[in-house]
Amino acid sequence: EPEVTQTPSHQVTQMGQEVILRCVPISNHLYFYWYRQILGQKVEFLVSFYNNEISEKSEIFDDQFSVERPDGSNFTLKIRSTKLEDSAMYFCASAKGYEQYFGPGTRLTVT
Amino acid sequence: ILNVEQSPQSLHVQEGDSTNFTCSFPSSNFYALHWYRWETAKSPEALFVMTLNGDEKKKGRISATLNTKEGYSYLYIKGSQPEDSATYLCAFKGGFSGGYNKLIFGAGTRLAVHP
């Protein structure tokens, strides 16, 4: 069964560094999302992406964040200058119909 | 601010017990209610998408109901098994711009089923 994959599973970075989180959505899906879960908090929406542009973004998704679908298969989330409060589990999801399918997440630890 | 609440926060049951959880969500601008099952280190697994008031869905021993007028959904597990141990997440989708909208999640109910 097709699934969403994410790499790496765990990334440790120093404050101020740039990180790129990678996702491979399900191949015939058209809508892509990033969510995150800070430890002990709810899963929260970051951004949705369709037709090579952002369709919606949350207040969290400021200028430090960007998304890209560089080659028609990968979907990336870049954080330009990480902060301690960016430490979280980041989930990618993709959708063709109304169901969103999630990857296993990347745990980002900013030290 | 849209808020989705789940109760209880955690639940410990014995194998064979039946159990249920609650998800409450805004009753206005409703589009869909999603249920996911999430085991640690795995992808959240889609259980149900519910869109119509009075919807009832079933997958094996797990079933769910939906009341959009009062803004709640129940998830039931009949005859719990240790492999049902997971966090169960509900997520609300508002009707602002259609079915591809963002999901707004509850905090989850963590279920532990003891043999």
Side-chain angles (χ1 to χ4, degrees):
Chain A
E1 190 174 324
E3 58 184 22
V4 178
T5 59
Q6 290 186 243
T7 54
S9 58
H10 190 191
Q11 171 114 32
V12 181
T13 190
Q14 288 192 324
M15 198 167 52
Q17 296 295 304
E18 174 183 286
V19 294
I20 297 176
L21 309 183
R22 291 185 166 79
C23 168
V24 179
I26 295 172
S27 64
N28 60 351
H29 284 190
L30 301 174
Y31 293 82
F32 312 105
Y33 309 82
W34 284 100
Y35 294 83
R36 76 175 185 188
Q37 186 186 37
I38 295 171
L39 192 63
Q41 297 185 22
K42 294 179 180 180
V43 175
E44 54 189 352
F45 168 78
L46 293 177
V47 65
S48 57
F49 191 85
Y50 169 70
N51 202 24
N52 281 319
E53 59 183 29
I54 290 173
S55 46
E56 187 178 0
K57 60 183 181 180
S58 71
E59 290 176 356
I60 304 164
F61 195 88
D62 61 20
D63 292 344
Q64 291 300 310
F65 290 87
S66 62
V67 288
E68 200 177 27
R69 188 155 160 80
D71 55 12
S73 61
N74 291 285
F75 180 49
T76 62
L77 175 69
K78 183 193 289 186
I79 309 175
R80 286 190 185 80
S81 178
T82 49
K83 306 184 187 79
L84 293 175
E85 54 265 36
D86 293 328
S87 295
M89 180 75 91
Y90 287 80
F91 291 99
C92 171
S94 69
K96 182 182 179 185
Y98 299 155
E99 190 68 79
Q100 290 184 23
Y101 293 86
F102 283 78
T106 292
R107 180 164 295 287
L108 177 66
T109 302
V110 183
T111 60
Chain B
I1 295 177
L2 298 172
N3 201 28
V4 177
E5 298 293 339
Q6 290 188 247
S7 63
Q9 189 174 26
S10 66
L11 199 52
H12 292 257
V13 301
Q14 292 297 124
E15 183 175 354
D17 287 351
S18 292
T19 186
N20 65 85
F21 328 130
T22 305
C23 173
S24 59
F25 53 85
S27 55
S28 59
N29 282 319
F30 175 86
Y31 194 92
L33 195 281
H34 296 239
W35 281 100
Y36 288 88
R37 178 178 179 278
W38 183 26
E39 289 182 72
T40 305
K42 295 186 179 179
S43 304
E45 173 198 353
L47 289 174
F48 305 114
V49 182
M50 308 178 79
T51 56
L52 298 175
N53 185 43
D55 245 357
E56 289 188 28
K57 298 224 171 175
K58 189 174 180 183
K59 184 187 275 192
R61 294 179 292 98
I62 305 177
S63 60
T65 61
L66 179 69
N67 183 322
T68 60
K69 294 187 189 308
E70 295 180 42
Y72 64 83
S73 175
Y74 295 135
L75 187 80
Y76 301 91
I77 302 179
K78 186 177 175 184
S80 303
Q81 300 296 309
E83 57 265 30
D84 295 329
S85 298
T87 296
Y88 291 82
L89 295 168
C90 74
F92 167 85
K93 184 182 286 175
F96 309 116
S97 59
Y100 300 101
N101 236 359
K102 66 187 177 193
L103 296 176
I104 301 168
F105 281 87
T109 292
R110 188 176 300 170
L111 174 67
V113 182
H114 302 282

